[in-house]
Amino acid sequence: MDKVRKPIVAGNWKMNKTVAEAIDLANGIKRDLAGCKEVDVVLCPPFTSLKAVSEVITGTHIDLGAQNMHWEKAGAFTGEVSAEMLRELYCHYVILGHSERRSYFGETDEIVNKKTKAAITANLTPIVCVGETLDEREGGRTEAVIEEQVRGSLKGLSARELVECVIAYEPVWAIGTGKTATSQQAQDVHKFIRGILEDMADESVARTVRIQYGGSMKPANAEELLSMPDIDGGLIGGAALEARSFVDIVKAAM
Ligand code: PEP
């Protein structure tokens, strides 16, 4: 697939896999993708498996990511981990503002913004998630919601910092539901996000930032979604829990 931007496919394992299972899954993915240079491949296991997965993928082209972090460097924040702690475990990416974090844990754009800035300062690439609910889409509010989330989550970032970010467009109604946005629905929102980035910075930033699609992406629909001009990869939930389906999605991005 001839893309302007290098595709990036990340597996969000959510709260799944024991350490032993995580090692198995990472080994299964490594078998096929250790030398993959055409696509940035990122595995995001739970905190408890970061170290073990990092040991499996060391020396390969596969990168490690976390699913969340706190914005402070250290302190009395029971249950939290900092960007520096993730770097220490060889994480290069961190998913921020996933819709599950927003809806179950009260993460606002302001919180996502603080985390995004802290991640960049610590040399972690933030994967900043945005997406509308079904009500919002049906009420014709998709663009307004996406614009508020993108501007709020990326507020105050310089052009240089914006290009350090990956954005994941994940319509909430498509996450874990088996319902996928059509490739045209996804493309329209991705293009819209690029327009916001151009307005926030400039055309070069808009052209450079990678925007992933997430929401029931699987081998059967990956190729069509990834063929759209503004879709630069995928953030994969369910289909990332099995090596075969994740590898097939990465291959569809090549
Ligand atoms: C996600 O949670 O980021 C996601 C895209 O999940 P799924 O692929 O299962 O819809």
Side-chain angles (χ1 to χ4, degrees), residues 21-33:
E21 289 166 348
I23 291 172
D24 263 8
L25 177 55
N27 268 316
I29 293 166
K30 175 176 151 178
R31 220 165 284 136
D32 278 302
L33 298 178

Side-chain angles (χ1 to χ4, degrees), residues 15 20 31 38 46 54 65 67 86 95 111 129 131 174 191 198 225:
M15 196 173 72
R31 220 165 284 136
E38 303 94 321
S54 132
Q67 300 171 19
L86 298 178
I95 299 170
I111 290 174
C129 303
K191 191 161 180 233
E198 182 166 350
L225 284 158

Side-chain angles (χ1 to χ4, degrees), residues 10-12 14 95 98-100 129 168-172 174-179 213-218 234-241 249:
N12 173 13
K14 310 194 185 189
I95 299 170
H98 189 280
S99 65
E100 288 149 19
C129 303
Y169 167 57
E170 300 207 303
V172 178
I175 295 179
T177 58
K179 283 187 201 149
Y213 169 79
S216 298
M217 196 190 266
K218 42 189 179 276
L235 181 54
I236 321 298
L241 295 176
I249 293 173

Side-chain angles (χ1 to χ4, degrees), residues 28-48:
I29 293 166
K30 175 176 151 178
R31 220 165 284 136
D32 278 302
L33 298 178
C36 175
K37 292 194 189 120
E38 303 94 321
V39 178
D40 285 336
V41 178
V42 186
L43 307 185
C44 305
F47 289 137
T48 47

Side-chain angles (χ1 to χ4, degrees), residues 30-215:
K30 175 176 151 178
R31 220 165 284 136
D32 278 302
L33 298 178
C36 175
K37 292 194 189 120
E38 303 94 321
V39 178
D40 285 336
V41 178
V42 186
L43 307 185
C44 305
F47 289 137
T48 47
S49 294
L50 284 172
K51 189 165 192 298
V53 171
S54 132
E55 282 163 8
V56 173
I57 60 178
T58 183
T60 72
H61 286 273
I62 303 170
D63 276 318
L64 190 65
Q67 300 171 19
N68 181 33
M69 53 167 255
H70 196 273
W71 61 87
E72 291 288 350
K73 283 196 167 76
F77 300 102
T78 302
E80 296 288 334
V81 303
S82 70
E84 285 74 12
M85 291 169 182
L86 298 178
R87 286 290 302 166
E88 201 181 12
L89 293 180
Y90 305 105
C91 283
H92 283 97
Y93 293 85
V94 61
I95 299 170
L96 296 177
H98 189 280
S99 65
E100 288 149 19
R101 301 287 324 163
R102 290 177 186 264
S103 65
Y104 304 144
F105 303 99
E107 287 198 9
T108 59
D109 291 332
E110 198 186 340
I111 290 174
V112 178
N113 185 237
K114 285 195 217 176
K115 293 183 177 193
T116 302
K117 288 176 174 164
I120 293 171
T121 303
N123 266 323
L124 277 173
T125 298
I127 298 179
V128 178
C129 303
V130 297
E132 81 288 0
T133 63
L134 189 57
D135 267 5
E136 288 162 346
R137 175 163 282 267
E138 287 177 349
R141 299 199 304 282
T142 299
E143 290 195 346
V145 168
I146 297 297
E147 176 152 15
E148 192 178 330
Q149 290 179 347
V150 170
R151 287 190 186 274
S153 303
L154 304 180
K155 193 173 168 186
L157 268 62
S158 65
R160 190 194 56 75
E161 290 169 327
L162 283 171
V163 297
E164 298 296 320
C165 297
V166 172
I167 297 176
Y169 167 57
E170 300 207 303
V172 178
W173 49 271
I175 295 179
T177 58
K179 283 187 201 149
T180 320
T182 64
S183 49
Q184 194 56 54
Q185 280 174 324
Q187 164 60 24
D188 289 347
V189 177
H190 282 232
K191 191 161 180 233
F192 177 69
I193 293 172
R194 247 179 249 296
I196 302 169
L197 292 172
E198 182 166 350
D199 190 59
M200 288 176 78
D202 56 38
E203 201 270 328
S204 152
V205 167
R207 202 175 352 103
T208 308
V209 172
R210 293 181 294 177
I211 308 176
Q212 300 173 303
Y213 169 79

